Amino acid sequence: MSGQELCEVPYHVAIVMDGNGRWAQRRKQPRIFGHKKGVEALRRIIECCGKHGVSILTLFAFSSENWRRPPAEVSGLQRLLFSSLVAEADSLVSNGVRLRVVGDLDPFGPDVVDMVQRTEHRTANNHKLELVIAVNYGGRWDIVSACRKLAIKVAEGNLSSDAIDERSVAEALSTSTLPDPDLCIRTGGEYRISNFLLWQLAYTELYFCEVLWPEFSEDDFVEALKWYATRQRRFGKTQE
Ligand code: FPP
């Protein structure tokens, strides 16, 4: 099934990688074990994107709300995230993957900010796949930050409030320069957006599946792409 030609491939896929904790708990393992398996699933799906012609992959790796989890899970997850980025940096460079991290990195300190910026810089000329990782990200945080940026421009006399439109808001978001996702996949059987890309998902096709993220396979990914290919996207217009 995975070698199959798809008639229309989404340019930009966003994923809420849910189900790591339950996957681990079912095996009587700590939740961090599930997150580690989740990184393996992630590697698999990054390869699938290249293979099936997806150009941008955006992942919800750590939400602004994840701080509410037990401290051991929060610190374990952060360590896993940043150590995976360091460990995979060379492979991103050699596989043509451009990395971009969105979200509020300030709480993680200057060393993390520096490491992320260096990896973004090292991969800046890669064009096979753009990998966007949302860390300490929340859709509401993104919109509030954009409002603040625009308010400062207005207060400084560099922007008229009448000139604020969808385009200027989109350009003030952390995802500026990225097109909106065409397809958003959420694994793990929950049917919600959980404060992911609230503005950017306005016309995105939403695909929910029961598979827990550590088990999400190439066949599951292709299933989502096939479902997407059957969708008729109207963006508020009629079929005619
Ligand atoms: C949701 O599962 C998953 C997360 C909160 C973290 C996902 C992060 C990774 C897979 C690591 C990413 C690493 C890089 C380098 C991007 P959950 O814990 O909410 O699962 P549950 O719903 O079963 O409790």
Side-chain angles (χ1 to χ4, degrees):
M1 186 203 289
S2 38
Q4 209 165 316
E5 285 276 308
L6 293 159
C7 46
E8 196 181 334
V9 177
Y11 187 79
H12 182 176
V13 174
I15 306 187
V16 180
M17 308 174 285
D18 197 16
N20 294 343
R22 275 167 288 161
W23 184 88
Q25 280 166 338
R26 282 177 199 172
R27 286 160 181 76
K28 309 229 179 307
Q29 295 289 334
R31 295 171 59 84
I32 193 67
F33 182 67
H35 296 312
K36 286 183 184 157
K37 279 283 167 194
V39 174
E40 289 174 23
L42 183 54
R43 279 198 206 99
R44 218 165 33 235
I45 298 309
I46 291 174
E47 272 184 40
C48 290
C49 284
K51 184 167 163 190
H52 294 285
V54 171
S55 298
I56 306 175
L57 176 67
T58 298
L59 303 162
F60 206 6
F62 189 87
S63 82
S64 346
E65 289 73 35
N66 285 156
W67 295 100
R68 297 179 194 150
R69 294 183 175 212
E73 182 176 352
V74 170
S75 59
L77 189 49
Q78 288 174 9
R79 261 200 310 276
L80 177 67
L81 231 165
F82 297 123
S83 64
S84 303
L85 277 186
V86 172
E88 299 294 331
D90 286 346
S91 146
L92 296 178
V93 173
S94 56
N95 285 298
V97 179
R98 179 179 186 166
L99 176 78
R100 175 158 163 186
V101 175
V102 296
D104 181 8
L105 289 183
D106 288 346
F108 305 112
D111 287 354
V112 164
V113 173
D114 189 54
M115 180 278 288
V116 166
Q117 284 174 350
R118 267 186 290 121
T119 313
E120 286 179 334
H121 186 72
R122 279 186 71 199
T123 61
N125 292 322
N126 287 348
H127 300 294
K128 183 148 193 243
L129 173 72
E130 186 154 359
L131 176 65
V132 184
I133 303 186
V135 181
N136 195 18
Y137 177 89
R140 290 182 178 178
W141 163 85
D142 206 359
I143 293 170
V144 169
S145 307
C147 292
R148 212 171 273 151
K149 283 184 207 159
L150 296 175
I152 291 170
K153 281 192 184 170
V154 172
E156 288 173 342
N158 294 323
L159 176 69
S160 150
S161 58
D162 292 338
I164 296 176
D165 55 12
E166 287 194 17
R167 192 183 162 144
S168 48
V169 175
E171 283 174 358
L173 292 168
S174 66
T175 51
S176 64
T177 78
L178 294 173
D180 289 342
D182 301 295
L183 169 67
C184 180
I185 299 172
R186 181 176 185 142
T187 62
E190 304 288 0
Y191 292 71
R192 53 179 175 259
I193 295 302
S194 297
N195 199 18
F196 195 24
L197 304 159
L198 295 182
W199 172 283
Q200 298 86 338
L201 294 179
Y203 285 102
T204 301
E205 300 295 327
L206 306 177
Y207 181 86
F208 298 94
C209 69
E210 298 294 321
V211 182
L212 303 177
W213 175 252
E215 286 174 347
F216 194 69
S217 65
E218 177 169 9
D219 281 353
D220 295 319
F221 187 65
V222 169
E223 210 46 57
L225 296 186
K226 278 166 65 185
W227 174 84
Y228 174 82
T230 67
R231 305 303 302 160
Q232 201 185 62
R233 303 190 71 195
R234 290 195 291 274
F235 300 95
K237 293 176 285 195
T238 62
Q239 207 172 339
E240 290 71 41

